[in-house]
Amino acid sequence: MAAKKTVGVIGAGAWGTGFAQALARGGHDVTLWAMEDEVVSSINNEHENKKFLPGLKLDANLKASTDIQEVAAGKEFLVLASPSLYLAPTLKKITSLPNIAEGSANIGVLTKGFVPSADGPKLIVETMESVLPDFYKGSVCYISGPSHAEEVAIGKITGLVAASENPKVSIRFRELMRVPGLMAYSSFDVVGVQICAAAKNIIAVVYGALDAISETSDIFGDNAESLLMAAGLNEIQTLGFAMGATHAETFTSIAGVGDLDVTCKSKYGRNRRFGQEMIKTDLLSNFKDLVPSRRRHRLQIRSPNSPKQKHKAFDLRRPLPHP
């Protein structure tokens, strides 16, 4: 078991809540920040996040607050779990706190995806480093791996990667995650791990669509789904190396093939379900139907265009066809 630490988790969606619950179950002093009053009330009074992680009981020592500065102030560890589009504005709200301004807080992030900008899509850590004090450059920890919140929250075995250019920071987060149910590993390939986390969702949407088609098709089946996953992993690796990934092992580890596999195949996979829904409900026949579906699934439809933009920027050959 890890020594008890104070932790603030910024973002009480399903993944932020599941991760916070795992740390709280392991004995850490954890506080969650949520925007919604009803989420905070549900966690503090009923020990359940009824809005984003319903049906799963949370430890009584896991607390929540709508005051982001209260959640972040004085904490030894801060973990960002806000959606990528809101990551920078959220982080800016706490950068003046002494534990960040003076560098005593260890900062990690769970957010997956790319961040749109005037200069094109940015990586998550790159975006955070542009907001944080300069001494955090190279010292932010990116946490990823095959980790559906539903299983993490109830303590099912889950492997995670703590990726940072600073080996001490990676080890600190690895030790923080030494709690029941979590197995943490270090990595220095921060770019590669981020690319795996961001790009696999696109493959999972297509996988879900193919899975739905396969139910009534004489042409597509398990073999085609395996072909798609292998080609998708190859494409992720190609993009990763073009953007600065450093280790081939990243793509064959839990950060790469592990996360891709669970995202494509798990019953919890939102992107997989979205792909299935596109086929089963003929969703694309009326483009405006994408908006309510996006809201139900909390998907950011703009995100898949980011890897496409990167492919064009690097003039990469892509094994999967794109429009």
Side-chain angles (χ1 to χ4, degrees):
M1 294 288 289
K4 183 177 180 179
K5 301 294 183 181
T6 56
V7 185
V9 177
I10 309 300
W15 184 207
T17 301
F19 186 78
Q21 163 62 11
L23 297 185
R25 185 176 56 243
H28 294 301
D29 180 1
V30 186
T31 308
L32 262 171
W33 173 72
M35 292 179 58
E36 305 88 350
D37 289 329
E38 65 269 26
V39 171
V40 170
S41 176
S42 175
I43 292 172
N44 288 340
N45 299 321
E46 301 176 64
H47 309 303
E48 180 183 355
N49 187 337
K50 291 186 173 181
K51 185 170 185 176
F52 297 120
L53 201 60
L56 299 178
K57 280 297 178 184
L58 305 175
D59 276 32
N61 64 322
L62 176 58
K63 305 299 181 185
S65 172
T66 56
D67 187 335
I68 191 170
Q69 294 211 345
E70 175 188 332
V71 170
K75 298 298 191 297
E76 297 169 90
F77 288 83
L78 293 174
V79 180
L80 279 291
S82 301
S84 58
L85 292 176
Y86 310 108
L87 184 63
T90 300
L91 186 56
K92 287 177 181 177
K93 295 177 181 179
I94 58 175
T95 52
S96 62
L97 293 173
N99 57 327
I100 297 179
E102 298 170 6
S104 63
N106 297 284
I107 298 181
V109 58
L110 303 173
T111 304
K112 298 181 180 182
F114 293 92
V115 181
S117 77
D119 301 321
K122 302 291 186 184
L123 292 174
I124 297 298
V125 171
E126 178 185 12
T127 300
M128 292 178 65
E129 290 177 343
S130 70
V131 175
L132 289 166
D134 289 344
F135 47 73
Y136 276 106
K137 186 172 179 60
S139 293
V140 172
C141 186
Y142 190 78
I143 301 167
S144 188
S147 49
H148 286 304
E150 295 84 353
E151 293 194 356
V152 173
I154 62 176
K156 288 194 173 183
I157 296 296
T158 299
L160 292 172
V161 172
S164 178
E165 294 176 27
N166 186 330
K168 291 183 179 179
V169 171
S170 175
I171 291 170
R172 287 173 196 153
F173 274 94
R174 191 183 70 198
E175 288 300 300
L176 178 75
M177 293 186 284
R178 194 154 55 87
V179 298
L182 294 186
M183 302 173 65
Y185 305 89
S186 290
S187 172
F188 300 142
D189 190 2
V190 182
V191 170
V193 174
Q194 288 180 91
I195 296 299
C196 288
K200 51 95 179 181
N201 288 332
I202 305 165
I203 310 302
V205 172
V206 181
Y207 189 97
L210 181 59
D211 189 57
I213 293 170
S214 297
E215 292 181 5
T216 57
S217 174
D218 294 329
I219 301 173
F220 298 108
D222 292 347
N223 295 343
E225 291 179 0
S226 180
L227 172 64
L228 170 65
M229 186 177 296
L233 180 63
N234 185 49
E235 183 165 331
I236 292 170
Q237 185 177 46
T238 299
L239 177 62
F241 280 129
M243 293 186 66
T246 57
H247 290 71
E249 294 85 354
T250 298
F251 302 93
T252 56
S253 74
I254 55 174
V257 67
D259 205 2
L260 177 63
D261 179 78
V262 79
T263 305
C264 287
K265 295 181 178 180
S266 174
K267 63 182 180 180
Y268 299 118
R270 295 174 299 165
N271 295 283
R272 169 196 168 100
R273 290 201 306 270
F274 183 67
Q276 290 173 323
E277 186 175 328
M278 285 197 301
I279 301 303
K280 292 182 177 181
T281 65
D282 198 19
L283 191 59
L284 296 181
S285 64
N286 188 350
F287 186 75
K288 67 182 181 181
D289 287 347
L290 278 174
V291 176
S293 178
R294 180 197 67 184
R295 287 172 180 164
R296 285 200 303 275
H297 292 284
R298 294 179 62 81
L299 295 174
Q300 298 171 10
I301 299 300
R302 283 181 286 178
S303 294
N305 196 43
S306 297
K308 181 180 177 181
Q309 290 174 336
K310 289 297 186 184
H311 272 98
K312 286 184 176 180
F314 291 107
D315 192 27
L316 301 179
R317 177 184 176 274
R318 295 170 291 171
L320 293 182
H322 287 248

